[in-house]
Amino acid sequence: MPLSPNQREKLDNTDDQLFYAYPRFVTHVDDGFIQQLTDLYRDRLQPNTRILDMMSSWVSHLPEEIEFAHIEGHGLNAEELARNPRLNHYFVQNLNENPQIPIPDQDFDAVLICVSVQYIQYPEAIFSEIYRILKPGGIVIISFSNRMFFQKAIQAWRDASETTRVELVKHYFNSIPGFTTPEVIVRQSTTPYFLQLMGIGAGDPFYAVIAHRNSNS
């Protein structure tokens, strides 16, 4: 079922571009998460392919040693995107206001969304666009942890457990005919919970949901 209107709501309903107007040259996850994401990209992305880094910023966490044919960046802060050394080109667009991505059909081999899927209010429209711009066989990697700008995350995400958030992203894929069955990668901290509460040995949990556009679609 599609998200209800209430599930799409944010605590802060002001224009997203105002919230992101000031650049944030920080990483929103810890080094362990970043290393796991870079390793995943190294394993799943092919050299000399075309990559769309959606909802990106000043860093893309791509493996430095892999050369890609083209890396297109998208985000809400031009200053952050301009600082990103991996991007060949970028564009600024509020997908919650206009979900139509200005990219031709079947133009990219991979689409990446890192720690930002929780802010999408109309995922059905966005995932339909992702499907459209992917080449047959193209891959989508959605990664996230348990951090967020709480006031900008949609209610469905704020109210969900970490496990339910994984199911939510799987649902986004399953709502669009033509994606393969989503694959899930979960790597949570092995530190006992009572030690995590004291800040000992705790690290950001790593979640990734991966799917492909069917090769024959």
Side-chain angles (χ1 to χ4, degrees):
M1 295 292 292
L3 296 179
S4 69
N6 287 344
Q7 289 179 304
R8 302 180 197 273
E9 289 184 357
K10 302 182 179 189
L11 295 176
D12 178 359
N13 288 319
T14 59
D15 189 337
D16 291 339
Q17 287 188 281
L18 294 175
F19 183 80
Y20 293 101
Y22 184 80
R24 297 175 173 89
F25 296 112
V26 297
T27 53
H28 300 288
V29 281
D30 64 16
D31 290 344
F33 181 103
I34 291 170
Q35 185 61 59
Q36 291 179 85
L37 181 60
T38 300
D39 289 343
L40 178 62
Y41 287 163
R42 181 179 290 112
D43 183 52
R44 301 301 181 96
L45 301 177
Q46 299 301 312
N48 302 313
T49 53
R50 292 174 56 81
I51 310 294
L52 173 60
D53 187 10
M54 288 180 63
M55 308 179 77
S56 184
S57 65
W58 66 285
V59 60
S60 292
H61 308 306
L62 291 162
E64 293 182 2
E65 74 278 8
I66 299 181
E67 292 291 333
F68 298 101
H70 181 87
I71 303 173
E72 183 79 12
H74 155 265
L76 279 176
N77 186 281
E79 192 173 345
E80 289 182 13
L81 295 170
R83 184 80 68 90
N84 190 326
R86 296 305 303 268
L87 302 182
N88 300 110
H89 183 264
Y90 64 84
F91 64 98
V92 174
Q93 180 174 322
N94 183 349
L95 296 177
N96 289 328
E97 293 290 336
N98 177 14
Q100 295 184 335
I101 301 172
I103 290 173
D105 295 355
Q106 299 185 21
D107 198 37
F108 280 85
D109 300 282
V111 175
L112 316 174
I113 300 180
C114 172
V115 297
S116 295
V117 69
Q118 59 267 31
Y119 307 121
I120 297 175
Q121 290 180 284
Y122 303 96
E124 306 90 344
I126 298 302
F127 277 66
S128 179
E129 281 289 277
I130 291 172
Y131 175 84
R132 179 185 65 77
I133 66 178
L134 269 181
K135 297 176 183 179
I139 189 172
V140 188
I141 301 176
I142 311 293
S143 59
F144 53 94
S145 188
N146 56 2
R147 299 199 205 183
M148 71 187 91
F149 293 122
F150 196 78
Q151 68 271 43
K152 282 296 183 181
I154 64 170
Q155 180 180 305
W157 195 274
R158 298 194 313 270
D159 292 348
S161 66
E162 293 182 26
T163 300
T164 307
R165 290 168 184 163
V166 172
E167 293 303 313
L168 192 61
V169 178
K170 288 171 61 179
H171 170 72
Y172 294 167
F173 279 117
N174 291 331
S175 68
I176 308 300
F179 279 119
T180 59
T181 300
E183 171 192 357
V184 175
I185 297 174
V186 178
R187 294 171 186 152
Q188 296 174 312
S189 174
T190 57
T191 303
Y193 185 65
F194 74 93
L195 291 178
Q196 293 184 43
L197 290 176
M198 294 185 289
I200 301 174
D204 290 340
F206 179 87
Y207 298 94
V209 184
I210 304 165
H212 295 77
R213 174 170 171 156
N214 280 321
S215 298
N216 57 358
S217 64

